[in-house]
Structure formats: structure tokens, C-alpha cells
Amino acid sequence: MCEEHAAGTTDGAAGTDHAGAGGRMGRRGLLVTGAAAALTLGSVSFANAASADPGAGAGSSGTARTETRTVRGTLPPGAPDFVHLPVEVPCGVSELRVSYTYERPTVPAGTQGNALDIGLFDERGTALGGPGFRGWSGGARTEFFVRADDATPGYLRGPVRAGTWNIMLGPYTVAPEGLTYEVTITLTYGPTGTVPKPSYPPERAKGRGRSWYRGDCHLHTLHSDGKRTPAEVAALARAAGLDFMHSSDHNTSSAHRAWDGLWSDDLLILVGEEITTRNGHVLAISTDPGTWIDWRYRARDNRFGHYAREVRKAGGLVVPAHPHSTCIGCNWKFGFGDADAVEVWNGPWTADDEVSLADWDNSLVASARSGMAWTPAMGNSDAHKDPDAIGTPQTVVLADDLTRQAILAGIRAGHSYIAESAKVSLTFGATGGRAAHAGIGERLRVDKDDAVTVRLEVTGAPGCTAQFVTDQGTLYTAPLPESGSGTVEWTTTASYAAYVRAEVRHAPTVPGLPGAPAAFTNPVFLGEQPHN
């Protein structure tokens, strides 16, 4: 008799027709778990446990014995965000494998078609934030497997223990005629195997002491919907002149163990997650390796604050990503009260980045008026595949050294600027009063009528224009020399400008609209800080 909950850890964590289980609207119940509603289908059962005899798992030819079940069904329009398909896993299983397909009917223009995501929870359950998570691939792949010694990218290695597992279906969008799906589950019987000990990147690389370090904190691999291997991502990060990079695959921690042998003194590799909810995406930047943060909630569920705290408990930063993106589920609905920074620039500059920049600048006005904490800006590439350019853009951070803690401290403090590539460098600050000086992300404490000199030094931005932006808007503009290197100065007072930040922009390509930025900075605040 086997142990239903045998000891063993998962990686990263402390056909037969069976249509009746998932027929149209056939279900065990509609569950509300404190987050998004979930539909639970009927269970899929397999044979009794394999014999304890080590040889009993093999067929007559010596090959491993397998069993397969297939579930078919249709989800109607308006289906819940998540659909649980329970699978009763017996003892003696060495591998669980799942494949799925679904119909994609043609729909009229302006109508959403079918899109169905998939993932897996083990016998420990599907509770929000619970220990049962075993992987997520969204819509990036049509099949996956898990076993003790290996798993499909996006999924966690670990034993296939006896109990009720759940295949998690996520009907992202459903066509008017419904979403017809087919899921095939195959169990392989045999010895459990051993879970390899994961190897995680070190928290330190060889830095230059207190200096400016370049990084890209939004990168995808084949562990979610990216097409590049971790080795390819690391090589491209080095080629882009980056000092640090961050692995941020969607809704899974499986990539945390995938960087073994890819780090070295010249590249700090940080790991985390892009938490991809139905109401926006948020980067969990540099959480402790092996940490997984749940995403199964909407803004109306009032759960985001809890999971933002979970990110910080794991040592990470909370950074809403591409907040004004127009893709379904991408637009940020949770507010910025729990954010440590915000991704204002995402990939090649587009209209939604311009909106994000304006929205962020408006938040600086509110902070300058109230004295409340302000939210720094970041820029990242969100690179998935060729020809996405890693490091376009990148966040350039002033940090005490090239370590996890120092980089996160610099981002959190706003001691950073965003550049389109490693070719562009800025030095920006303000002086006034009795020879006082403040750099990016700092406050220059001067009397309101003291003269303040703002100075910007630029290299690597040919054909660009420099401008100084304040709480009143853009108050000073000057072209840079043809070489793209130059210095621009402007004099103001704290009574005239509550803060100043710098932008370096290319020439406009659309009449009446600003050109794309080559770089921009976080602000320097001027004057004494208002009382809350």
C-alpha cells in the first residue's frame, strides 16, 4: 500500500474517451475562493495503484506501463477565469503528461475568438497562494510533462504523488459559439526517481564599486511565451552591454533554476516573475529564488495588496508593467499604491508608452504637492524572441556595487534613468544654495527663491534635443550638437519648479507629436519637502 502523500519536494518549492467528465456545462460546481471564480469539472480517474513490486510498472516488453484518458467539453461565453479538471492520480506513477487542443472558429471583426491557457496543480490543492502549484504555460505550448527529475519548461520538477491533481484551464477569451476543448492525460508507472537540487544564480557579480549599472528587468525565455533559451538571453544581455538582467517569465518560477553555468563576473542574473493577471501585469523583480507568486485574481477581488506584500517578503520589488498597454488583460487596474516603481517604457517606443510617461509625470506632481512618497520610473525591453532587442530600453541604476541588494536599492530610490541602448549616457543633477547638489532621485533642499542650476550632460544621442520637464510641463528645450554629445544648463527656482527631470528625444516623425525618447531621467525635487 503506497503513501498518498509521500515525502519529496518539488523543484523551486520549500487514448480512452472520457467525455463525460468535461461535457458541455457538465460540472461539479462553481467555486469562489476569495479571488477569481473557478469552474470545477468532474474527476478523471485512472486504475488502482500499481503494485509495490518494482517490476510491476513495466509491460510485457519491458517498457513502462502507461494509461491515457481523454476529456472533451465546451465552455460557454462568460466562462469563469479558471476551470479545474481534477485528475485522480494513483500510487506508483513516475510521470504525468498532458496535451490539449481547442477549436478556433472564425469570428466577425471586433469579436474575440477562443484562447485557452493551461497549467497544473498537484495533490496539495489549488488554494490561492498555496503549495500545490506545479507549472503554467499559458497558451505557449500544447503539451507538457512533470516527473521527479525533469519537467517541461514552465513546470516544476518533483514526484508525481498519489492524490487529486488539477489541470488548470484558463479560458482567456471565448468565442460566441463557445470554446470546445480536448485534454489528454497520460500516466506512466514506475519508480519515482530523484529530484535534482536546483542551482540558483549568485547575488553578486564583479562590480565597479559605487557606479552606474545597466540592466534589463523584463525578459522572457521558453519557460513561458519566449522563444529564446536562457543561454541565448544571457548572451544577448552581454552583447547589449548590460551589467545585470532579470528573468521574468509569466506566472511561473521554473526558469529560476535554468541559469546554471550562464552567470559570471560580468553579468548579474536576477530571477523573479511576471505576474500576469486578467487586470494587468506586474513584475516581481528579484524575489528569492524558487518563489512563486499567484496571479489568479482581479482588481475587484481586493487581493493584489496581499500579493504585493508577498513579493516584498521574498525580497523583491513590485513593478507594474506596460500599464497602458492595449492588449486584453494588460491594462493596469490595481492602482499604484503598492508599487515600488513603474515600467514607463516597454520595448520599442509606442503611443501607450507616451501615455504611461504622461501618467507617471502626473503622479510626480501629486507627490511634489503632498510630500507623499513618489514612484520611480523604469524601462525594460520585454523581449521575447528575435528580433526583439534585449536592452532596448534599459534602466541605468546608481548602486553601491553590482549586487542584488544594491541594484534593488537603487531602483527603489529612483537613482536611475532609462536609455534606449548602452550607447546613450546621461549625467543629471541640480545645484543651488550653499553649493548644495542633488542627483537623480534626490531632493535639493534650498529656499524657494534661491537660484538653482540644472545641468545635463549627454553622450551618444546624435540628432536629439534635450529638454527639462517640471510640474508645469516642459520649460526649457535645447538641441544637442550633431555629435550627440553635449551639455545643457538651465536656471530656475524651487518656487517655479517643484521638480525637474530631463528628457532626450529624437526628432519627431509625426507632425504635432513628440519624437521618441533616447533617454529620460527620474526627477530631482527642489525645495523643502512639504509636510503630509
Side-chain angles (χ1 to χ4, degrees):
M1 184 174 181
C2 77
E3 293 290 335
E4 294 255 330
H5 299 281
T9 60
T10 57
D11 189 34
T16 299
D17 188 355
H18 196 72
R24 185 176 186 93
M25 294 302 290
R27 58 188 180 181
R28 195 161 62 201
L30 183 64
L31 306 180
V32 179
T33 61
L39 175 72
T40 300
L41 304 173
S43 296
V44 179
S45 296
F46 283 80
N48 292 329
S51 167
D53 180 351
S60 58
S61 65
T63 60
R65 183 168 66 86
T66 64
E67 280 191 284
T68 297
R69 300 284 186 270
T70 297
V71 174
R72 301 178 181 90
T74 300
L75 299 172
D81 288 345
F82 302 104
V83 176
H84 300 159
L85 174 58
V87 180
E88 302 299 334
V89 175
C91 298
V93 174
S94 62
E95 179 185 279
L96 183 151
R97 185 174 294 267
V98 176
S99 63
Y100 83 119
T101 61
Y102 61 93
E103 294 183 0
R104 296 173 173 86
T106 301
V107 297
T111 300
Q112 297 301 326
N114 285 334
L116 184 63
D117 294 341
I118 197 166
L120 184 68
F121 286 75
D122 67 20
E123 86 291 346
R124 291 170 292 182
T126 61
L128 198 64
F133 175 76
R134 290 298 292 270
W136 184 255
S137 48
R141 48 180 46 90
T142 59
E143 61 182 316
F144 62 84
F145 74 90
V146 294
R147 62 174 184 258
D149 64 340
D150 201 3
T152 300
Y155 293 80
L156 305 183
R157 302 177 296 195
V160 183
R161 295 179 286 256
T164 302
W165 290 53
N166 277 273
I167 296 167
M168 183 76 73
L169 301 176
Y172 197 65
T173 55
V174 179
E177 55 266 60
L179 192 159
T180 297
Y181 62 87
E182 180 177 289
V183 181
T184 299
I185 309 109
T186 300
L187 302 185
T188 300
Y189 293 91
T192 298
T194 302
V195 183
K197 184 178 180 180
S199 179
Y200 297 129
E203 297 189 4
R204 175 183 295 273
K206 187 176 181 180
R208 304 180 293 276
R210 186 168 176 80
S211 184
W212 292 91
Y213 295 99
R214 296 175 179 270
D216 189 342
C217 287
H218 192 164
L219 295 170
H220 294 278
T221 73
L222 47 72
H223 282 259
S224 60
D225 60 345
K227 301 300 183 185
R228 291 166 172 156
T229 65
E232 290 169 331
V233 170
L236 289 169
R238 289 184 171 92
L242 300 183
D243 301 296
F244 66 94
M245 55 150 286
H246 180 261
S247 168
S248 49
D249 281 304
H250 295 281
N251 294 345
T252 184
S253 57
S254 70
H256 294 191
R257 63 172 171 82
W259 304 94
D260 193 11
L262 300 178
W263 59 76
S264 62
D265 284 347
D266 67 336
L267 184 65
L268 177 67
I269 298 177
L270 307 174
V271 296
E273 180 182 340
E274 183 174 5
I275 305 165
T276 307
T277 80
R278 296 299 181 89
N279 285 157
H281 302 185
V282 58
L283 302 174
I285 293 182
S286 196
T287 48
D288 295 332
T291 299
W292 168 72
I293 304 296
D294 213 326
W295 73 94
R296 294 172 293 160
Y297 41 83
R298 291 179 181 248
R300 64 193 182 204
D301 300 317
N302 196 29
R303 300 296 293 167
F304 176 69
H306 169 80
Y307 287 102
R309 291 188 292 274
E310 289 296 305
V311 171
R312 294 193 188 94
K313 281 173 58 179
L317 300 182
V318 178
V319 181
H322 45 69
H324 290 280
S325 176
T326 57
C327 64
I328 295 173
C330 294
N331 197 269
W332 186 249
K333 304 290 188 182
F334 295 93
F336 298 97
D338 290 298
D340 295 304
V342 58
E343 188 184 72
V344 171
W345 186 350
N346 175 275
W349 188 262
T350 56
D352 61 278
D353 295 307
E354 196 71 59
V355 174
S356 293
L357 180 60
D359 190 40
W360 171 71
D361 186 77
N362 290 340
S363 76
L364 298 180
V365 174
S367 297
R369 180 182 65 249
S370 66
M372 300 291 287
W374 63 284
T375 306
M378 289 189 71
N380 301 300
S381 72
D382 197 3
H384 283 70
K385 59 185 185 302
D386 294 338
D388 298 352
I390 288 176
T392 301
Q394 55 195 250
T395 301
V396 190
V397 183
L398 179 62
D400 288 337
D401 209 344
L402 188 53
T403 68
R404 174 191 178 193
Q405 293 302 324
I407 293 296
L408 296 188
I411 294 171
R412 188 185 295 109
H415 296 158
S416 58
Y417 65 88
I418 299 94
E420 65 181 355
S421 74
K423 296 178 181 179
V424 182
S425 294
L426 304 182
T427 302
F428 179 64
T431 57
R434 298 181 179 179
H437 178 270
I440 300 171
E442 297 178 337
R443 177 174 290 275
L444 181 66
R445 299 184 182 277
V446 293
D447 292 337
K448 63 179 183 178
D449 294 323
D450 286 350
V452 173
T453 300
V454 181
R455 180 183 175 91
L456 173 68
E457 298 176 21
V458 183
T459 60
C464 291
T465 298
Q467 56 191 45
F468 295 133
V469 183
T470 76
D471 52 316
Q472 294 189 67
T474 301
L475 294 182
Y476 186 79
T477 301
L480 292 171
E482 289 186 9
S483 66
S485 299
T487 300
V488 179
E489 289 189 351
W490 176 60
T491 301
T492 187
T493 63
S495 62
Y496 192 54
Y499 65 85
V500 183
R501 59 180 185 84
E503 293 183 1
V504 178
R505 288 191 178 252
H506 293 282
T509 57
V510 179
L513 295 178
F520 60 83
T521 73
N522 276 298
V524 177
F525 290 91
L526 306 180
E528 295 296 329
Q529 183 167 344
H531 297 294
N532 295 339

